[in-house]
Amino acid sequence: MSINNVKGTHDIIGKEAENYGYVENIMAQISSFFAFQPVRPPVLEYSELFVRGVGESSDVVRKEMYTFLDKGDRSLTLRPEFTAGIIRLIVQNKLIPVNELPLKFYYCGPVFRYERPQLGRYRQFNQFGVESVGHNSPYADVEVISLAYTILQSLGLENVVIKINTLGDETSRNAYRNALRDYFKDKVANMCEDCKQRYELNPLRILDCKVPEDQMIVRGAPKMSQFLSLESQKRFLKVLDALREMNIPYEVDDTLVRGLDYYSETVFEFHYTSQKGNNYGAVGAGGHYDKLVHEIGGPDAPGVGFSFGVERIVNVLVDDGLIDNNPGLNLDIYVMPVGEESQARAINIADDLRLLGYKVDMCFDNVKLANMFKRAEKKNAKLAVIIGEEEIKNDTLVVKNMATKEQFEINVDDMEEKIDAMFTKKHHCCHDGEKEDGHQCCHEEKEKHHRECCEGDECECQKEGK
Ligand code: HAM
């Protein structure tokens, strides 16, 4: 019986894996322009970190963690998110007291949540995110929102909707929680079991309920904005003003509360519906937190960050044709040994060509030349290099330009020069108009061309970029 992957996980293969690398590289590069540095916390943490950090009333901790006892009876959890682990790393390594603040870190890797799998929702998925820890400036919030927005723009996602809200400071939230308790007091008995628990643990979480009947009740609940302290209102206005000045579009959404317990003040989500109409949910989200560092044993220090769901971002990019999911290899050169005896020579040549900087593959099957050409086409190879008995004897190679179908013989000793010329890395004069070494000269006037090439001027076809 075959063994399949675990429900909610997915294999990422070939070109798709390249796409993940491409997206994560852009995210990392732009984060480093914003002076964030990489960190790699472990996947495994003590369960208590998330119970205390992410919060007992969050769905993530109540229902979605992959928690188990190790052989020493310690309760461990596969991280359901990064933020708590990053703060643990900062606190444990005593980074706050000895560094200029905020500390700015970015991270990327798999996270695990036992959720119901559906479009854009997995049980193992990848997050890329940042945390800016130790400074209370509203502009630290603006900086991370701007970073996230720049990343999404650089990937080509033009129509991102940034939903933003404020949860206020602790005083504002306590007042709001009390108001919600009052509002839901005589309604909660008719709501779902989850909401009954949420009512006890943290009535703010009821606002996140996805049960349609409960959502109707939630619609009439008081709004956070009615309970904001003056300080929190001012702080939020500074964030919104700065975003406006920086031409970062946003929509204030006073129903946005986020599902993790550590947030205070600014919270935000990035939404994008692909042109195909697929809505994968938020492609990223984050916010400010006041108590998390202290909760995990550190000093009183705030932070702000966001995480992208890499799967969701790759999916929308593929949907909108912004990256290609075609499994083609886009080879430079396909090396084709004719006959089994030529294979040892072929692997040598393939190796030499790779050292010259080309993307090279070779055929290991003893098949007909026509068959090898088909493979070269499938791999989008630009050149085919053919090596048979004759070529080994004469120390030559037959090179075929797959696009123009031109084919010629070269000496192995001249391989670097001739192959480079075919890729127009180096321009070699096609003396007297003869296409000496693969340079695709299209110039008619031989003499003029020879003069331009050999007397140091660019020839016409170089000027035209051919
Ligand atoms: P989160 O909203 O739980 O926030 O997750 C961030 C992003 O991860 C989501 O917007 C979504 O794109 C992606 N995501 C979440 N669950 C799934 C899933 N089951 N399958 C695929 N993608 C998913 C956090 O994790 C916070 N730590 C963000 C943060 C950083 N806040 C402050 N700093």
mmCIF file of all heavy atoms in Angstrom, residues 60 80-83 107 113 115 120-127 130-131 258 260 262-263 269-270 280-289 304-312, ligand 1:
data_model
loop_
_atom_site.group_PDB
_atom_site.id
_atom_site.type_symbol
_atom_site.label_atom_id
_atom_site.label_comp_id
_atom_site.label_asym_id
_atom_site.label_seq_id
_atom_site.Cartn_x
_atom_site.Cartn_y
_atom_site.Cartn_z
ATOM 1 N N VAL A 60 -6.017 29.537 17.583
ATOM 2 C CA VAL A 60 -4.740 28.872 17.300
ATOM 3 C C VAL A 60 -4.333 28.023 18.499
ATOM 4 O O VAL A 60 -3.995 26.845 18.359
ATOM 5 C CB VAL A 60 -3.651 29.918 16.952
ATOM 6 C CG1 VAL A 60 -2.264 29.294 16.949
ATOM 7 C CG2 VAL A 60 -3.935 30.555 15.602
ATOM 8 N N PRO A 80 3.006 27.423 15.566
ATOM 9 C CA PRO A 80 1.832 27.776 14.754
ATOM 10 C C PRO A 80 1.980 29.176 14.157
ATOM 11 O O PRO A 80 1.125 29.621 13.384
ATOM 12 C CB PRO A 80 0.694 27.752 15.775
ATOM 13 C CG PRO A 80 1.342 28.131 17.071
ATOM 14 C CD PRO A 80 2.769 27.644 17.016
ATOM 15 N N GLU A 81 3.032 29.894 14.520
ATOM 16 C CA GLU A 81 3.337 31.232 14.019
ATOM 17 C C GLU A 81 4.743 31.572 14.518
ATOM 18 O O GLU A 81 5.301 30.852 15.353
ATOM 19 C CB GLU A 81 2.318 32.261 14.508
ATOM 20 C CG GLU A 81 2.226 32.393 16.029
ATOM 21 C CD GLU A 81 2.739 33.719 16.535
ATOM 22 O OE1 GLU A 81 2.321 34.759 16.012
ATOM 23 O OE2 GLU A 81 3.580 33.723 17.461
ATOM 24 N N PHE A 82 5.315 32.670 14.014
ATOM 25 C CA PHE A 82 6.700 32.993 14.361
ATOM 26 C C PHE A 82 6.851 33.968 15.525
ATOM 27 O O PHE A 82 7.860 33.954 16.222
ATOM 28 C CB PHE A 82 7.398 33.635 13.157
ATOM 29 C CG PHE A 82 8.049 32.655 12.210
ATOM 30 C CD1 PHE A 82 7.359 32.149 11.133
ATOM 31 C CD2 PHE A 82 9.365 32.258 12.398
ATOM 32 C CE1 PHE A 82 7.959 31.263 10.249
ATOM 33 C CE2 PHE A 82 9.980 31.381 11.531
ATOM 34 C CZ PHE A 82 9.265 30.884 10.445
ATOM 35 N N THR A 83 5.879 34.881 15.673
ATOM 36 C CA THR A 83 6.130 36.051 16.529
ATOM 37 C C THR A 83 6.573 35.673 17.949
ATOM 38 O O THR A 83 7.571 36.214 18.457
ATOM 39 C CB THR A 83 4.883 36.969 16.552
ATOM 40 O OG1 THR A 83 4.470 37.158 15.205
ATOM 41 C CG2 THR A 83 5.182 38.314 17.193
ATOM 42 N N TYR A 107 12.173 36.714 8.965
ATOM 43 C CA TYR A 107 12.223 35.263 9.111
ATOM 44 C C TYR A 107 11.381 34.606 8.033
ATOM 45 O O TYR A 107 10.506 35.248 7.443
ATOM 46 C CB TYR A 107 11.697 34.844 10.496
ATOM 47 C CG TYR A 107 10.369 35.494 10.838
ATOM 48 C CD1 TYR A 107 9.162 34.977 10.352
ATOM 49 C CD2 TYR A 107 10.318 36.650 11.611
ATOM 50 C CE1 TYR A 107 7.947 35.590 10.645
ATOM 51 C CE2 TYR A 107 9.102 37.269 11.902
ATOM 52 C CZ TYR A 107 7.927 36.737 11.422
ATOM 53 O OH TYR A 107 6.727 37.346 11.699
ATOM 54 N N ARG A 113 -0.638 24.486 11.613
ATOM 55 C CA ARG A 113 -1.909 24.733 12.311
ATOM 56 C C ARG A 113 -2.904 23.649 11.907
ATOM 57 O O ARG A 113 -3.080 23.394 10.709
ATOM 58 C CB ARG A 113 -2.491 26.104 11.930
ATOM 59 C CG ARG A 113 -1.653 27.263 12.399
ATOM 60 C CD ARG A 113 -2.316 28.595 12.094
ATOM 61 N NE ARG A 113 -1.366 29.668 12.349
ATOM 62 C CZ ARG A 113 -1.606 30.957 12.123
ATOM 63 N NH1 ARG A 113 -2.783 31.330 11.652
ATOM 64 N NH2 ARG A 113 -0.694 31.865 12.381
ATOM 65 N N GLU A 115 -5.929 23.122 10.996
ATOM 66 C CA GLU A 115 -7.148 23.788 10.521
ATOM 67 C C GLU A 115 -7.815 22.893 9.486
ATOM 68 O O GLU A 115 -7.227 21.932 9.000
ATOM 69 C CB GLU A 115 -6.773 25.111 9.834
ATOM 70 C CG GLU A 115 -6.254 26.159 10.779
ATOM 71 C CD GLU A 115 -6.215 27.533 10.120
ATOM 72 O OE1 GLU A 115 -7.259 28.188 10.089
ATOM 73 O OE2 GLU A 115 -5.144 27.915 9.632
ATOM 74 N N GLY A 120 -6.207 27.758 -0.233
ATOM 75 C CA GLY A 120 -5.324 28.712 0.457
ATOM 76 C C GLY A 120 -5.156 28.425 1.944
ATOM 77 O O GLY A 120 -4.544 29.218 2.654
ATOM 78 N N ARG A 121 -5.702 27.302 2.420
ATOM 79 C CA ARG A 121 -5.528 27.005 3.850
ATOM 80 C C ARG A 121 -4.941 25.600 4.022
ATOM 81 O O ARG A 121 -5.519 24.618 3.588
ATOM 82 C CB ARG A 121 -6.868 27.094 4.584
ATOM 83 C CG ARG A 121 -6.635 27.082 6.097
ATOM 84 C CD ARG A 121 -7.908 26.992 6.860
ATOM 85 N NE ARG A 121 -8.690 28.211 6.805
ATOM 86 C CZ ARG A 121 -9.984 28.251 7.137
ATOM 87 N NH1 ARG A 121 -10.615 27.159 7.500
ATOM 88 N NH2 ARG A 121 -10.632 29.395 7.086
ATOM 89 N N TYR A 122 -3.783 25.554 4.625
ATOM 90 C CA TYR A 122 -3.049 24.303 4.787
ATOM 91 C C TYR A 122 -2.799 24.042 6.268
ATOM 92 O O TYR A 122 -2.983 24.928 7.104
ATOM 93 C CB TYR A 122 -1.691 24.383 4.073
ATOM 94 C CG TYR A 122 -1.785 24.736 2.616
ATOM 95 C CD1 TYR A 122 -1.781 26.067 2.203
ATOM 96 C CD2 TYR A 122 -1.880 23.743 1.651
ATOM 97 C CE1 TYR A 122 -1.876 26.396 0.858
ATOM 98 C CE2 TYR A 122 -1.969 24.060 0.306
ATOM 99 C CZ TYR A 122 -1.974 25.398 -0.086
ATOM 100 O OH TYR A 122 -2.062 25.719 -1.415
ATOM 101 N N ARG A 123 -2.347 22.814 6.557
ATOM 102 C CA ARG A 123 -1.949 22.529 7.944
ATOM 103 C C ARG A 123 -0.450 22.761 8.132
ATOM 104 O O ARG A 123 -0.011 23.038 9.238
ATOM 105 C CB ARG A 123 -2.351 21.100 8.305
ATOM 106 C CG ARG A 123 -3.849 20.991 8.429
ATOM 107 C CD ARG A 123 -4.334 19.643 8.866
ATOM 108 N NE ARG A 123 -5.772 19.703 9.095
ATOM 109 C CZ ARG A 123 -6.538 18.658 9.296
ATOM 110 N NH1 ARG A 123 -6.019 17.424 9.312
ATOM 111 N NH2 ARG A 123 -7.829 18.811 9.502
ATOM 112 N N GLN A 124 0.316 22.583 7.083
ATOM 113 C CA GLN A 124 1.709 23.059 7.104
ATOM 114 C C GLN A 124 1.826 24.072 5.976
ATOM 115 O O GLN A 124 1.513 23.765 4.817
ATOM 116 C CB GLN A 124 2.719 21.934 6.871
ATOM 117 C CG GLN A 124 4.140 22.491 6.784
ATOM 118 C CD GLN A 124 5.227 21.443 6.622
ATOM 119 O OE1 GLN A 124 5.045 20.277 6.941
ATOM 120 N NE2 GLN A 124 6.373 21.864 6.126
ATOM 121 N N PHE A 125 2.210 25.287 6.287
ATOM 122 C CA PHE A 125 2.381 26.305 5.262
ATOM 123 C C PHE A 125 3.590 27.156 5.628
ATOM 124 O O PHE A 125 4.193 26.961 6.689
ATOM 125 C CB PHE A 125 1.114 27.169 5.113
ATOM 126 C CG PHE A 125 0.682 27.864 6.377
ATOM 127 C CD1 PHE A 125 0.973 29.210 6.583
ATOM 128 C CD2 PHE A 125 -0.017 27.190 7.364
ATOM 129 C CE1 PHE A 125 0.570 29.865 7.740
ATOM 130 C CE2 PHE A 125 -0.419 27.830 8.532
ATOM 131 C CZ PHE A 125 -0.123 29.161 8.725
ATOM 132 N N ASN A 126 3.980 28.053 4.729
ATOM 133 C CA ASN A 126 5.189 28.860 4.965
ATOM 134 C C ASN A 126 4.829 30.304 5.229
ATOM 135 O O ASN A 126 3.947 30.854 4.577
ATOM 136 C CB ASN A 126 6.105 28.772 3.741
ATOM 137 C CG ASN A 126 6.665 27.379 3.583
ATOM 138 O OD1 ASN A 126 7.617 27.016 4.252
ATOM 139 N ND2 ASN A 126 6.048 26.562 2.743
ATOM 140 N N GLN A 127 5.499 30.883 6.178
ATOM 141 C CA GLN A 127 5.327 32.318 6.429
ATOM 142 C C GLN A 127 6.649 33.030 6.195
ATOM 143 O O GLN A 127 7.721 32.489 6.497
ATOM 144 C CB GLN A 127 4.888 32.578 7.874
ATOM 145 C CG GLN A 127 3.420 32.277 8.134
ATOM 146 C CD GLN A 127 2.950 32.790 9.491
ATOM 147 O OE1 GLN A 127 3.755 32.982 10.400
ATOM 148 N NE2 GLN A 127 1.655 32.984 9.634
ATOM 149 N N VAL A 130 8.253 39.828 9.490
ATOM 150 C CA VAL A 130 9.239 40.675 10.182
ATOM 151 C C VAL A 130 8.693 41.059 11.544
ATOM 152 O O VAL A 130 7.487 41.082 11.755
ATOM 153 C CB VAL A 130 9.544 41.980 9.393
ATOM 154 C CG1 VAL A 130 9.889 41.691 7.954
ATOM 155 C CG2 VAL A 130 8.405 42.976 9.463
ATOM 156 N N GLU A 131 9.614 41.353 12.467
ATOM 157 C CA GLU A 131 9.245 41.934 13.765
ATOM 158 C C GLU A 131 10.196 43.099 14.021
ATOM 159 O O GLU A 131 11.414 42.983 13.806
ATOM 160 C CB GLU A 131 9.376 40.916 14.913
ATOM 161 C CG GLU A 131 8.634 39.600 14.703
ATOM 162 C CD GLU A 131 7.128 39.716 14.556
ATOM 163 O OE1 GLU A 131 6.521 40.667 15.093
ATOM 164 O OE2 GLU A 131 6.549 38.848 13.863
ATOM 165 N N ARG A 258 -8.377 40.703 14.495
ATOM 166 C CA ARG A 258 -7.279 39.726 14.426
ATOM 167 C C ARG A 258 -7.488 38.592 15.446
ATOM 168 O O ARG A 258 -8.053 38.801 16.505
ATOM 169 C CB ARG A 258 -5.903 40.379 14.647
ATOM 170 C CG ARG A 258 -5.646 41.548 13.748
ATOM 171 C CD ARG A 258 -5.088 41.154 12.395
ATOM 172 N NE ARG A 258 -3.901 40.353 12.525
ATOM 173 C CZ ARG A 258 -3.788 39.107 12.026
ATOM 174 N NH1 ARG A 258 -4.772 38.527 11.389
ATOM 175 N NH2 ARG A 258 -2.663 38.449 12.162
ATOM 176 N N LEU A 260 -5.220 36.634 17.072
ATOM 177 C CA LEU A 260 -4.220 36.282 18.081
ATOM 178 C C LEU A 260 -4.339 37.299 19.221
ATOM 179 O O LEU A 260 -4.607 38.474 18.978
ATOM 180 C CB LEU A 260 -2.813 36.290 17.466
ATOM 181 C CG LEU A 260 -2.702 35.525 16.128
ATOM 182 C CD1 LEU A 260 -1.349 35.747 15.470
ATOM 183 C CD2 LEU A 260 -2.927 34.041 16.344
ATOM 184 N N TYR A 262 -2.253 38.792 21.280
ATOM 185 C CA TYR A 262 -1.237 39.748 21.761
ATOM 186 C C TYR A 262 -1.378 41.167 21.221
ATOM 187 O O TYR A 262 -0.651 42.061 21.622
ATOM 188 C CB TYR A 262 0.191 39.246 21.502
ATOM 189 C CG TYR A 262 0.508 38.659 20.136
ATOM 190 C CD1 TYR A 262 0.493 39.428 18.983
ATOM 191 C CD2 TYR A 262 0.876 37.310 20.020
ATOM 192 C CE1 TYR A 262 0.807 38.893 17.752
ATOM 193 C CE2 TYR A 262 1.196 36.756 18.786
ATOM 194 C CZ TYR A 262 1.158 37.556 17.660
ATOM 195 O OH TYR A 262 1.481 37.017 16.441
ATOM 196 N N TYR A 263 -2.286 41.398 20.290
ATOM 197 C CA TYR A 263 -2.314 42.714 19.644
ATOM 198 C C TYR A 263 -2.867 43.836 20.514
ATOM 199 O O TYR A 263 -3.736 43.625 21.354
ATOM 200 C CB TYR A 263 -3.140 42.653 18.357
ATOM 201 C CG TYR A 263 -2.503 41.805 17.285
ATOM 202 C CD1 TYR A 263 -3.097 40.617 16.883
ATOM 203 C CD2 TYR A 263 -1.312 42.179 16.692
ATOM 204 C CE1 TYR A 263 -2.515 39.829 15.896
ATOM 205 C CE2 TYR A 263 -0.723 41.392 15.713
ATOM 206 C CZ TYR A 263 -1.326 40.220 15.319
ATOM 207 O OH TYR A 263 -0.736 39.443 14.358
ATOM 208 N N GLU A 269 -4.399 43.964 7.805
ATOM 209 C CA GLU A 269 -4.377 42.759 6.957
ATOM 210 C C GLU A 269 -4.221 43.185 5.503
ATOM 211 O O GLU A 269 -4.680 44.262 5.116
ATOM 212 C CB GLU A 269 -5.693 41.977 7.084
ATOM 213 C CG GLU A 269 -5.828 41.254 8.403
ATOM 214 C CD GLU A 269 -7.101 40.421 8.529
ATOM 215 O OE1 GLU A 269 -7.986 40.494 7.654
ATOM 216 O OE2 GLU A 269 -7.204 39.704 9.529
ATOM 217 N N PHE A 270 -3.573 42.325 4.708
ATOM 218 C CA PHE A 270 -3.395 42.596 3.279
ATOM 219 C C PHE A 270 -4.279 41.617 2.503
ATOM 220 O O PHE A 270 -4.118 40.407 2.638
ATOM 221 C CB PHE A 270 -1.928 42.401 2.872
ATOM 222 C CG PHE A 270 -1.006 43.284 3.670
ATOM 223 C CD1 PHE A 270 -0.395 42.814 4.824
ATOM 224 C CD2 PHE A 270 -0.791 44.603 3.286
ATOM 225 C CE1 PHE A 270 0.428 43.629 5.574
ATOM 226 C CE2 PHE A 270 0.032 45.433 4.038
ATOM 227 C CZ PHE A 270 0.637 44.948 5.185
ATOM 228 N N TYR A 280 -8.117 33.980 -1.697
ATOM 229 C CA TYR A 280 -7.383 33.059 -0.818
ATOM 230 C C TYR A 280 -7.413 33.528 0.634
ATOM 231 O O TYR A 280 -6.697 33.014 1.469
ATOM 232 C CB TYR A 280 -5.926 32.939 -1.279
ATOM 233 C CG TYR A 280 -5.775 32.306 -2.644
ATOM 234 C CD1 TYR A 280 -5.682 33.081 -3.781
ATOM 235 C CD2 TYR A 280 -5.745 30.917 -2.792
ATOM 236 C CE1 TYR A 280 -5.554 32.510 -5.036
ATOM 237 C CE2 TYR A 280 -5.617 30.334 -4.042
ATOM 238 C CZ TYR A 280 -5.522 31.136 -5.158
ATOM 239 O OH TYR A 280 -5.395 30.564 -6.402
ATOM 240 N N GLY A 281 -8.208 34.538 0.941
ATOM 241 C CA GLY A 281 -8.173 35.124 2.290
ATOM 242 C C GLY A 281 -7.038 36.126 2.340
ATOM 243 O O GLY A 281 -6.448 36.468 1.314
ATOM 244 N N ALA A 282 -6.698 36.571 3.546
ATOM 245 C CA ALA A 282 -5.620 37.564 3.666
ATOM 246 C C ALA A 282 -4.303 36.937 3.202
ATOM 247 O O ALA A 282 -4.004 35.802 3.559
ATOM 248 C CB ALA A 282 -5.502 38.022 5.109
ATOM 249 N N VAL A 283 -3.525 37.678 2.393
ATOM 250 C CA VAL A 283 -2.206 37.162 1.992
ATOM 251 C C VAL A 283 -1.150 37.496 3.052
ATOM 252 O O VAL A 283 -0.039 36.994 3.020
ATOM 253 C CB VAL A 283 -1.755 37.686 0.605
ATOM 254 C CG1 VAL A 283 -2.656 37.154 -0.494
ATOM 255 C CG2 VAL A 283 -1.706 39.212 0.566
ATOM 256 N N GLY A 284 -1.523 38.342 3.988
ATOM 257 C CA GLY A 284 -0.608 38.684 5.075
ATOM 258 C C GLY A 284 -1.346 39.501 6.113
ATOM 259 O O GLY A 284 -2.421 40.041 5.839
ATOM 260 N N ALA A 285 -0.746 39.587 7.295
ATOM 261 C CA ALA A 285 -1.431 40.312 8.374
ATOM 262 C C ALA A 285 -0.446 40.574 9.497
ATOM 263 O O ALA A 285 0.605 39.928 9.587
ATOM 264 C CB ALA A 285 -2.590 39.472 8.894
ATOM 265 N N GLY A 286 -0.799 41.523 10.343
ATOM 266 C CA GLY A 286 0.085 41.789 11.479
ATOM 267 C C GLY A 286 -0.463 42.875 12.365
ATOM 268 O O GLY A 286 -1.643 43.246 12.284
ATOM 269 N N GLY A 287 0.416 43.416 13.172
ATOM 270 C CA GLY A 287 -0.018 44.478 14.063
ATOM 271 C C GLY A 287 1.001 44.732 15.160
ATOM 272 O O GLY A 287 2.089 44.128 15.207
ATOM 273 N N HIS A 288 0.588 45.657 16.022
ATOM 274 C CA HIS A 288 1.431 46.124 17.121
ATOM 275 C C HIS A 288 1.090 45.310 18.373
ATOM 276 O O HIS A 288 -0.031 44.850 18.528
ATOM 277 C CB HIS A 288 1.086 47.610 17.329
ATOM 278 C CG HIS A 288 1.782 48.252 18.466
ATOM 279 N ND1 HIS A 288 2.920 49.015 18.311
ATOM 280 C CD2 HIS A 288 1.482 48.277 19.782
ATOM 281 C CE1 HIS A 288 3.298 49.470 19.486
ATOM 282 N NE2 HIS A 288 2.442 49.037 20.398
ATOM 283 N N TYR A 289 2.088 45.103 19.235
ATOM 284 C CA TYR A 289 1.818 44.406 20.510
ATOM 285 C C TYR A 289 2.580 45.109 21.623
ATOM 286 O O TYR A 289 3.709 45.552 21.424
ATOM 287 C CB TYR A 289 2.175 42.913 20.423
ATOM 288 C CG TYR A 289 3.446 42.596 19.666
ATOM 289 C CD1 TYR A 289 4.688 42.559 20.289
ATOM 290 C CD2 TYR A 289 3.414 42.358 18.290
ATOM 291 C CE1 TYR A 289 5.846 42.280 19.588
ATOM 292 C CE2 TYR A 289 4.576 42.077 17.574
ATOM 293 C CZ TYR A 289 5.782 42.037 18.226
ATOM 294 O OH TYR A 289 6.940 41.769 17.540
ATOM 295 N N VAL A 304 6.100 45.430 16.717
ATOM 296 C CA VAL A 304 5.132 45.419 15.619
ATOM 297 C C VAL A 304 5.698 44.538 14.519
ATOM 298 O O VAL A 304 6.918 44.477 14.337
ATOM 299 C CB VAL A 304 4.839 46.851 15.099
ATOM 300 C CG1 VAL A 304 6.093 47.578 14.635
ATOM 301 C CG2 VAL A 304 3.797 46.852 13.992
ATOM 302 N N GLY A 305 4.821 43.830 13.835
ATOM 303 C CA GLY A 305 5.318 42.970 12.759
ATOM 304 C C GLY A 305 4.194 42.501 11.871
ATOM 305 O O GLY A 305 3.025 42.827 12.100
ATOM 306 N N PHE A 306 4.569 41.765 10.834
ATOM 307 C CA PHE A 306 3.553 41.132 9.980
ATOM 308 C C PHE A 306 4.097 39.808 9.496
ATOM 309 O O PHE A 306 5.313 39.566 9.549
ATOM 310 C CB PHE A 306 3.203 42.017 8.764
ATOM 311 C CG PHE A 306 4.323 42.134 7.761
ATOM 312 C CD1 PHE A 306 4.592 41.131 6.840
ATOM 313 C CD2 PHE A 306 5.145 43.262 7.752
ATOM 314 C CE1 PHE A 306 5.634 41.236 5.936
ATOM 315 C CE2 PHE A 306 6.194 43.374 6.840
ATOM 316 C CZ PHE A 306 6.434 42.359 5.934
ATOM 317 N N SER A 307 3.203 38.942 9.054
ATOM 318 C CA SER A 307 3.630 37.713 8.376
ATOM 319 C C SER A 307 2.810 37.559 7.106
ATOM 320 O O SER A 307 1.602 37.784 7.120
ATOM 321 C CB SER A 307 3.405 36.478 9.251
ATOM 322 O OG SER A 307 4.007 36.632 10.500
ATOM 323 N N PHE A 308 3.491 37.161 6.032
ATOM 324 C CA PHE A 308 2.805 36.797 4.791
ATOM 325 C C PHE A 308 2.607 35.292 4.773
ATOM 326 O O PHE A 308 3.460 34.544 5.269
ATOM 327 C CB PHE A 308 3.684 37.127 3.578
ATOM 328 C CG PHE A 308 3.756 38.579 3.228
ATOM 329 C CD1 PHE A 308 4.988 39.165 2.960
ATOM 330 C CD2 PHE A 308 2.610 39.363 3.117
ATOM 331 C CE1 PHE A 308 5.074 40.503 2.597
ATOM 332 C CE2 PHE A 308 2.691 40.700 2.759
ATOM 333 C CZ PHE A 308 3.925 41.263 2.505
ATOM 334 N N GLY A 309 1.518 34.847 4.153
ATOM 335 C CA GLY A 309 1.361 33.426 3.843
ATOM 336 C C GLY A 309 1.986 33.211 2.466
ATOM 337 O O GLY A 309 1.442 33.691 1.473
ATOM 338 N N VAL A 310 3.130 32.520 2.419
ATOM 339 C CA VAL A 310 3.862 32.418 1.138
ATOM 340 C C VAL A 310 3.037 31.635 0.098
ATOM 341 O O VAL A 310 2.984 32.000 -1.074
ATOM 342 C CB VAL A 310 5.261 31.786 1.338
ATOM 343 C CG1 VAL A 310 6.026 31.725 0.020
ATOM 344 C CG2 VAL A 310 6.066 32.581 2.363
ATOM 345 N N GLU A 311 2.346 30.562 0.552
ATOM 346 C CA GLU A 311 1.516 29.784 -0.385
ATOM 347 C C GLU A 311 0.501 30.691 -1.076
ATOM 348 O O GLU A 311 0.315 30.651 -2.285
ATOM 349 C CB GLU A 311 0.733 28.682 0.358
ATOM 350 C CG GLU A 311 1.457 27.369 0.562
ATOM 351 C CD GLU A 311 2.565 27.447 1.596
ATOM 352 O OE1 GLU A 311 2.753 28.517 2.218
ATOM 353 O OE2 GLU A 311 3.263 26.438 1.771
ATOM 354 N N ARG A 312 -0.170 31.514 -0.265
ATOM 355 C CA ARG A 312 -1.231 32.358 -0.828
ATOM 356 C C ARG A 312 -0.643 33.339 -1.836
ATOM 357 O O ARG A 312 -1.229 33.608 -2.876
ATOM 358 C CB ARG A 312 -1.951 33.119 0.292
ATOM 359 C CG ARG A 312 -2.736 32.161 1.169
ATOM 360 C CD ARG A 312 -3.572 32.880 2.199
ATOM 361 N NE ARG A 312 -4.167 31.881 3.092
ATOM 362 C CZ ARG A 312 -4.986 32.164 4.086
ATOM 363 N NH1 ARG A 312 -5.316 33.409 4.327
ATOM 364 N NH2 ARG A 312 -5.479 31.199 4.843
HETATM 365 P P1 HAM B 1 -1.853 35.295 10.980
HETATM 366 O O1 HAM B 1 -2.907 36.216 10.472
HETATM 367 O O2 HAM B 1 -2.311 34.201 11.855
HETATM 368 O O3 HAM B 1 -0.781 36.192 11.708
HETATM 369 O O4 HAM B 1 -1.083 34.663 9.753
HETATM 370 C C1 HAM B 1 -0.414 35.480 8.820
HETATM 371 C C2 HAM B 1 -0.697 34.988 7.395
HETATM 372 O O5 HAM B 1 -0.382 33.596 7.289
HETATM 373 C C3 HAM B 1 -2.151 35.072 6.976
HETATM 374 O O6 HAM B 1 -2.500 36.371 6.544
HETATM 375 C C4 HAM B 1 -2.197 34.088 5.831
HETATM 376 O O7 HAM B 1 -1.717 34.672 4.648
HETATM 377 C C5 HAM B 1 -1.210 33.019 6.279
HETATM 378 N N1 HAM B 1 -1.944 31.870 6.843
HETATM 379 C C6 HAM B 1 -2.511 31.766 8.049
HETATM 380 N N2 HAM B 1 -3.064 30.549 8.217
HETATM 381 C C7 HAM B 1 -2.835 29.873 7.073
HETATM 382 C C8 HAM B 1 -3.121 28.538 6.621
HETATM 383 N N3 HAM B 1 -3.755 27.660 7.390
HETATM 384 N N4 HAM B 1 -2.709 28.170 5.393
HETATM 385 C C9 HAM B 1 -2.044 29.050 4.586
HETATM 386 N N5 HAM B 1 -1.717 30.301 4.971
HETATM 387 C C10 HAM B 1 -2.111 30.716 6.187
HETATM 388 C C11 HAM B 1 0.343 35.704 12.301
HETATM 389 O O8 HAM B 1 0.752 34.574 12.160
HETATM 390 C C12 HAM B 1 1.102 36.728 13.091
HETATM 391 N N6 HAM B 1 2.259 36.077 13.719
HETATM 392 C C13 HAM B 1 1.497 37.905 12.221
HETATM 393 C C14 HAM B 1 2.283 38.915 12.990
HETATM 394 C C15 HAM B 1 3.619 39.092 12.951
HETATM 395 N N7 HAM B 1 1.797 39.770 13.855
HETATM 396 C C16 HAM B 1 2.779 40.498 14.378
HETATM 397 N N8 HAM B 1 3.903 40.066 13.844
#
